[in-house]
């Protein structure tokens, strides 16, 4: 709890929700159709919803990162990741790019991205600076790619990083655990939703502000 206090106490924080989209998370999405097991995603949904509900109650901003791919952003180097040179994931305007199970509410912020990191060629840093955010509470998928890439770059831009172990998921336990260890050692800290929500509750012992 002491490390969590260092990152949250008297700090402006925002919850970052990374790539909770059909192509990454849905059993009929592009990732699942490629033969990859996406079942770990559904296991984090209750905790993620709990965290987002608490963030609303305690007036913590929520920022959804949404991957969008199209010809204008799919460079030759980016497409080289795919064996056939065709990107099947999160095409702009497609069902696959739509949010999965959790979606932004009217007062949440959406930042569209085209690479693993939420900071590369996006407005994320401008939004964070406008809100005077100091700490990023990071959730979503996948832990070892877009989540970790965003956490790494955020740390190197001098944001405090709090990675939620039970509100992010990878497509294997080994990849998930590896990223948790890396971030906790070098790029911030790892904790769980219960700890963060408990911290918010202790900091606001009276009834939280209700968002209507």
């Amino acid at each position: 709890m002491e490390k969590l206090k260092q990152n949250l106490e008297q700090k402006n924080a925002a919850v970052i929700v990374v790539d909770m989209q059909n192509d990454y998370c849905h059993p009929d999405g592009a990732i699942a159709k490629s033969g990859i097991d996406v079942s770990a995603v559904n296991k984090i949904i209750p905790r993620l919803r709990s965290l987002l509900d608490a963030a609303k109650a305690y007036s913590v901003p929520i920022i959804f990162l949404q991957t969008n791919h199209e010809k204008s952003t799919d460079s030759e180097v980016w497409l080289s990741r795919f064996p056939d040179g065709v990107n099947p994931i999160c095409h702009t305007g497609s069902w696959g790019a739509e949010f999965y199970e959790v979606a932004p509410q009217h007062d949440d912020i959406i930042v569209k991205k085209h690479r693993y990191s939420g900071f590369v060629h996006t407005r994320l840093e401008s939004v964070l600076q406008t809100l005077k955010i100091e700490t990023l509470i990071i959730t979503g998928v996948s832990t070892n790619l877009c989540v970790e890439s965003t956490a790494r770059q955020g740390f190197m831009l001098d944001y405090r990083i709090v990675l939620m172990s039970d509100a992010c998921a990878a497509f294997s336990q080994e990849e998930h655990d590896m990223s948790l260890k890396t971030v906790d050692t070098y790029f911030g800290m790892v904790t769980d939703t219960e700890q963060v929500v408990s911290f918010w509750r202790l900091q606001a012992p009276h009834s939280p502000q209700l968002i209507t």
Side-chain angles (χ1 to χ4, degrees), residues 2-15:
E2 187 60 35
K3 192 173 182 180
L4 190 62
K5 285 177 64 177
Q6 292 173 7
N7 285 286
L8 293 182
E9 192 169 54
Q10 297 183 340
K11 304 290 191 304
N12 291 329
V15 176

Side-chain angles (χ1 to χ4, degrees), residues 65-84:
L65 302 186
Q66 183 182 29
T67 291
N68 280 261
H69 291 310
E70 54 192 53
K71 287 184 178 180
S72 64
T73 60
D74 279 350
S75 67
E76 182 179 352
V77 171
W78 187 249
L79 291 176
S80 69
R81 303 177 304 133
F82 304 98
D84 57 1

Side-chain angles (χ1 to χ4, degrees), residues 48-198:
L48 179 54
R49 285 177 174 159
S50 174
L51 180 72
L52 297 181
D53 287 346
K56 287 290 183 190
Y58 294 105
S59 302
V60 177
I62 299 172
I63 301 171
F64 280 79
L65 302 186
Q66 183 182 29
T67 291
N68 280 261
H69 291 310
E70 54 192 53
K71 287 184 178 180
S72 64
T73 60
D74 279 350
S75 67
E76 182 179 352
V77 171
W78 187 249
L79 291 176
S80 69
R81 303 177 304 133
F82 304 98
D84 57 1
V86 177
N87 180 3
I89 300 170
C90 293
H91 293 167
T92 300
S94 69
W95 170 85
E98 293 176 3
F99 292 105
Y100 176 78
E101 291 296 330
V102 293
Q105 298 184 20
H106 72 280
D107 54 346
D108 294 334
I109 299 163
I110 300 173
V111 173
K112 297 184 183 298
K113 69 183 184 69
H114 314 291
R115 295 294 185 266
Y116 293 137
S117 170
F119 286 96
V120 174
H121 304 312
T122 75
R123 67 189 186 110
L124 178 58
E125 193 167 10
S126 177
V127 169
L128 296 174
Q129 289 175 353
T130 299
L131 296 176
K132 296 180 172 56
I133 298 301
E134 301 160 273
T135 298
L136 309 182
I137 301 169
I138 303 183
T139 71
V141 296
S142 64
T143 317
N144 60 309
L145 289 175
C146 296
V147 171
E148 184 178 329
S149 294
T150 301
R152 283 172 175 251
Q153 193 164 359
F155 175 78
M156 288 184 280
L157 291 170
D158 290 329
Y159 293 97
R160 296 173 181 269
I161 302 299
V162 178
L163 181 60
M164 308 304 297
S165 62
D166 59 349
C168 62
F171 303 125
S172 76
Q173 190 64 44
E174 180 183 15
E175 290 171 323
H176 178 73
D177 292 343
M178 177 178 63
S179 282
L180 296 186
K181 182 177 180 180
T182 297
V183 171
D184 200 43
T185 304
Y186 300 108
F187 300 104
M189 68 167 294
V190 173
T191 188
D192 57 35
T193 55
E194 183 178 354
Q195 291 295 314
V196 171
V197 173
S198 294

